[in-house]
Amino acid sequence: MLVTMSQKELDRIPVLQQLCDKRLTQSRAAKLLNLSIRQVQRLLNRYQIEGAAGLSSRKRGKPANNRAPDELRFKILMLLREKYSDFGPTLAAEKLLERHCIRISTETLRNWMTADGLWVPHSRRKPRVYQPRYQRDCLGELVQIDGSHHDWFEGRADKCCLLVFIDDATGRLMHLHFCETESAFDYMNATRQYIEKHGKPVAYYSDKHAVFRVSQAETRQTGVTQFGRVLHDMAIELICANSSQAKGRVERANKTLQDRLVKEMRLENISSIESANHWVETFVSDFNRRFARPAKYPKDLHRPVQETPAELADIFAWHELRTLSKSLTFQYDKILYLLDPTEENTRIAGQKIEVFDYPDGTLAFKYAHRTLSYQAFDKLACVDQGAIVDNKRLGAVLRLAQVHQDEREQDGKRERSKKMPKRRAQARVQEQLKAINPVLANPAEFRASLKR
């Protein structure tokens, strides 16, 4: 019969053999084996009668005294197959206690699930293969971009976001831009600054942020984000990484910047986004001098910018489409816009016009590259009692007053559309109201002028 022995039991054989040959005393053997003299006597008797097999533990191969009943094991495994087949041992143990009042240790449950095929230990799993990716060959061939949210000013100002542009071939910081949020307009502004300084790279490498990649629901509509449309118009490819490790160069750069850049700004006493953006080029130059390395090939793949400043302004604006009604009106961001009733505008009634919402808050409306002149009426502004309105605008004002009353009755103080860019200024709304009627922009001021 084959007997399994542990290494500890095997190490006792030479000592007991010397004890049998009377080359050791029992007290000396007890000290060598770290056992009592009585236990050494028992082992010696079993060794003389049964040989080396007598030293193996009598408990080996027998169930433990505190072993869980087989009925409980079958019940737990049945529950796991029915309700928790994809749960790990730790979570499954928690749910068994919470939902079924069954207390079982995590390791016991792990052994049961492993034996039953419900769990595969990590040591037995097939290792995932992560092949290294060689860095690109030339400067400007691939630029990794990412936003890093951090307390950059260490409490001297609010937390903000740093947009990082780093070249894949050289590890050079190409551009840093501080902003309040990681929005499409912030990336547009930073990208325009980048291309004006370096030119147009071949491709940008980003994560799956909503600025770069549309969701499944949005795919049915346009299939491209505003930032993606900008890069398409600029002939720059946009590649989204499948994981954070894939764009590890910019991720590691973020960690370095959160250490070095924060301390440098502390020494320079920089406490605002504006001052940080003004100074950051000094840090970039010093950083690249220390850490950047030459590319494999010296060719620079950045392309010069051929577009005019006016074309760039249109490309880097927020684009939307609106349908022009038969009355030559359309809505954008809950504001009604009215085109002049000219013969040229009448011919495009029912057509799609394009909205250009610029980063500075100004608007432009175009049809087939023709800029349309307009007047605006704010749907959210209150029509003041006794306001003086031109006769030709009376119908629009009455319709909007009715809409405003319905909203007020529903206790719905509405805000601007959340889909629109988040930087519309109240001053611009006031200018748009003045385009219709000065009374609507500031009724109190108008009344005061009448009294004077």
Side-chain angles (χ1 to χ4, degrees), residues 253-271:
N254 287 340
K255 187 174 181 180
T256 304
L257 292 173
Q258 289 176 6
D259 178 41
R260 285 178 169 263
L261 181 56
V262 167
K263 295 174 181 176
E264 291 286 351
M265 290 194 297
R266 183 200 309 160
L267 296 176
E268 297 292 333
N269 196 25
I270 295 175
S271 304

Side-chain angles (χ1 to χ4, degrees), residues 367-382:
Y367 176 80
H369 303 289
R370 178 170 67 91
T371 302
L372 305 174
S373 58
Y374 64 90
Q375 293 179 331
F377 185 83
D378 190 352
K379 291 176 64 177
L380 300 185
C382 177

Side-chain angles (χ1 to χ4, degrees), residues 68-85:
D70 292 337
E71 295 80 5
L72 178 62
R73 178 177 179 176
F74 295 148
K75 178 181 178 181
I76 290 176
L77 291 177
M78 187 65 68
L79 287 172
L80 293 178
R81 293 192 195 97
E82 292 178 357
K83 300 182 179 181
Y84 312 110
S85 59

Side-chain angles (χ1 to χ4, degrees), residues 194-202 234-236 300-308 312:
Y194 179 100
I195 66 173
E196 289 175 349
K197 181 167 57 174
H198 302 288
K200 297 187 289 186
V202 176
M234 296 298 297
I236 301 174
D300 188 354
L301 296 185
H302 285 99
R303 296 158 292 159
V305 179
Q306 305 292 340
E307 291 80 3
T308 64
L312 287 177

Side-chain angles (χ1 to χ4, degrees), residues 66-132:
N66 59 347
R67 179 183 179 183
D70 292 337
E71 295 80 5
L72 178 62
R73 178 177 179 176
F74 295 148
K75 178 181 178 181
I76 290 176
L77 291 177
M78 187 65 68
L79 287 172
L80 293 178
R81 293 192 195 97
E82 292 178 357
K83 300 182 179 181
Y84 312 110
S85 59
D86 58 341
F87 282 41
T90 302
L91 183 58
E94 294 176 1
K95 297 306 174 184
L96 287 173
L97 180 61
E98 293 175 4
R99 295 176 174 268
H100 306 281
C101 298
I102 300 176
R103 185 181 296 275
I104 191 74
S105 70
T106 302
E107 291 306 317
T108 299
L109 189 61
R110 189 189 310 276
N111 293 333
W112 290 356
M113 294 176 67
T114 301
D116 204 56
L118 297 175
W119 177 256
V120 180
H122 291 277
S123 59
R124 301 183 188 176
R125 297 180 186 178
K126 185 177 180 180
R128 297 180 63 182
V129 179
Y130 294 97
Q131 293 184 335

